[in-house]
Amino acid sequence: MTMRRFLLPIGLFLALVCTLALGLKRDPQAPLPSPLVGKPVPAFQLTQLTDAQKQFGPQDLKGQVWLLNVWASWCVSCRQEHPLIQDLARKGTLPIVGLNYQDQREPGQRWLETHGNPYQFTAFDADGKVGMDLGVYGLPETFVIDKQGRIRYKHTGPVTAEVLKTKLLPLIKELQRG
Amino acid sequence: VAELGLRHPGTHRWKLAGAGALLTLSLTCIMAATPIPSAELDERTNRLASELRCLVCQNQTVADSQAELAVQLKREVRSQLAKGATDEQVRDFMVQRYGEFVLYRPTVNHSTWLLWGGPALLLLTGAGLFVSHWRARRLSGNSLDEADSGFDPHAQDQASSAERAQA
């Protein structure tokens, strides 16, 4: 009888412990869900990194599934994913567009020469305005864009072989079929 | 208005009385033409920025953070306000790009109702438990001696301590 008196407080206490434990286990650096997924990619028109006379805008790739990879020469973890992006480009799975974010032309171009250029186009976003419209908050970021020009997936942080195999490639295949 | 009154001491009163619409119109023109004073702009920028979460340093506000993205967002807030955007428009701009998470005070919707209602819900649960406990004790007879002669001297504190645990 006396034990039952403690049941409620102890139960509540355990519930509190569980809530806090779950909160502690969550990764505070976990990528944020983007509100842009499912929405059309924001319209923009930028000059290309490799040629200031040429322009690029998302409408140039309308009707195709494409990948938008946000990078910068100052971004260390961009180097980590770069071989995978290049591999993807070599296989010709889909057009890959680079968005050179908050960078300068010179170092950006040099970076592509050093590490290889997998991009069909590289849009040069010097002031980061387009990056802001895309909700970019940590490089590298990768967007999958469908034939209708909608963002279907966003990956924050370096693309890994795992992410490519389990998330990006299946989605790309599905979108290309549809 | 005071400035306007000083500039046109004679006509101000007449304008107010006879042509209110004209005054409103001219005021709007003056306001649109005059840039927001920078002190006021700074103040508004700061107030808004302190409602926004810095996304790369998630426990800081955009106002507090020196992270590059935060500095850039602050600049964006300021330039939008300078162009005449309302606080609401600036908030919408941020939410469209970074999601509700960017607001330290998220709006009430289907995914945040528990966050907003949680404390009240807990309080009500606690109060409900307290009342039912108290009633049960009163109903279980006025045999106070039986309840209090148990070996637990803090029995009567049970309900309120449960309530405290809730809070």
Side-chain angles (χ1 to χ4, degrees), chain A residues 5 28 102 129 132-133 137, chain B residues 55-56 58 72 76 97 155:
Chain A
R5 284 178 184 224
Q102 289 200 337
K129 273 269 188 271
M132 190 182 278
D133 283 341
Y137 71 94
Chain B
L55 293 135
V56 276
Q58 296 179 357
Q72 199 193 351
E76 183 66 30
R97 282 155 184 79

Side-chain angles (χ1 to χ4, degrees), chain B:
Chain B
V1 177
E3 198 187 321
L4 201 82
L6 280 174
R7 249 193 268 154
H8 316 281
T11 53
H12 185 53
R13 191 177 292 258
W14 177 84
K15 258 187 181 174
L16 265 177
L22 226 141
L23 176 70
T24 320
L25 199 74
S26 61
L27 261 176
T28 321
C29 288
I30 289 165
M31 273 161 71
T34 324
I36 306 168
S38 78
E40 188 197 325
L41 199 60
D42 285 342
E43 200 268 326
R44 277 181 73 197
T45 305
N46 249 315
R47 191 160 35 77
L48 259 176
S50 57
E51 287 176 25
L52 298 172
R53 187 191 302 273
C54 167
L55 293 135
V56 276
C57 35
Q58 296 179 357
N59 287 325
Q60 266 187 317
T61 66
V62 165
D64 291 337
S65 172
Q66 289 304 312
E68 206 163 323
L69 182 68
V71 174
Q72 199 193 351
L73 288 181
K74 232 177 302 182
R75 220 182 297 137
E76 183 66 30
V77 170
R78 197 174 199 281
S79 88
Q80 287 196 11
L81 289 177
K83 280 184 209 144
T86 64
D87 292 5
E88 202 47 49
Q89 282 167 329
V90 175
R91 259 182 237 121
D92 285 348
F93 176 91
M94 296 297 165
V95 170
Q96 269 164 30
R97 282 155 184 79
Y98 305 102
E100 283 277 322
F101 188 73
V102 78
L103 299 179
Y104 261 111
R105 221 178 313 145
T107 51
V108 184
N109 61 32
H110 60 94
S111 63
T112 55
W113 66 268
L114 192 62
L115 183 69
W116 280 105
L121 216 67
L122 280 177
L123 193 72
L124 279 177
T125 317
L129 281 173
F130 178 78
V131 169
S132 69
H133 212 82
W134 180 67
R135 274 223 190 119
R137 271 174 60 88
R138 287 228 340 199
L139 280 180
S140 73
N142 299 321
S143 49
L144 265 173
D145 42 343
E146 193 200 308
D148 281 352
S149 62
F151 75 85
D152 181 7
H154 301 299
Q156 66 267 51
D157 284 336
Q158 284 300 308
S160 55
S161 68
E163 163 122 343
R164 251 180 274 129
Q166 294 270 323

